[in-house]
Amino acid sequence: MQAITEYINKQLSKFYPHSEIKSFLLIILESVCNIKSNDFLLRKDIKIPDNERLQIEQIVELLKAGKPIQYILNQSEFFGLSFYVDERVLIRGA
């Protein structure tokens, strides 16, 4: 998992602040690999399969192009509830 963490950090560092990259990392790992944040912190030895690695690389490319993570994953959370979203939903930046 260390390699994928370094990859995401390196690829996105020119586009987003470190705190946002960390959030992306946790969201991506949970969505693609079903790795929860506590597993990310406690189990650095988890191996990421090649098919999941490819999905992560595709997500990173879309993030680099400025596409919101919610559109990429078709999901957003609001008050602990998960909702389907797509480009018809307005995503407002901070």
Side-chain angles (χ1 to χ4, degrees):
M1 188 163 35
Q2 184 67 28
I4 203 70
T5 300
E6 290 173 6
Y7 169 79
I8 291 172
N9 279 312
K10 182 178 179 183
Q11 291 296 310
L12 297 179
S13 64
K14 295 179 184 173
F15 303 93
Y16 299 97
H18 179 72
S19 59
E20 194 165 8
I21 295 170
K22 185 175 179 182
S23 294
F24 287 152
L25 177 63
L26 295 174
I27 290 167
I28 292 167
L29 289 175
E30 184 167 355
S31 177
V32 174
C33 308
N34 199 30
I35 296 172
K36 307 291 184 206
S37 59
N38 56 342
D39 288 330
F40 171 74
L41 296 171
L42 298 174
R43 298 189 52 221
K44 300 286 186 184
D45 61 331
I46 296 173
K47 302 282 186 217
I48 306 293
D50 289 341
N51 63 323
E52 292 176 354
R53 186 179 306 273
L54 287 172
Q55 281 183 277
I56 291 169
E57 290 172 2
Q58 291 171 343
I59 291 169
V60 167
E61 289 305 311
L62 292 169
L63 286 169
K64 286 168 53 176
K67 189 169 186 177
I69 189 81
Q70 296 90 339
Y71 291 165
I72 298 168
L73 301 176
N74 292 119
Q75 172 183 326
S76 185
E77 288 202 19
F78 183 71
F79 284 101
L81 300 172
S82 183
F83 292 92
Y84 174 86
V85 296
D86 59 23
E87 285 80 6
R88 296 174 292 178
V89 175
L90 176 64
I91 305 258
R92 183 170 178 232

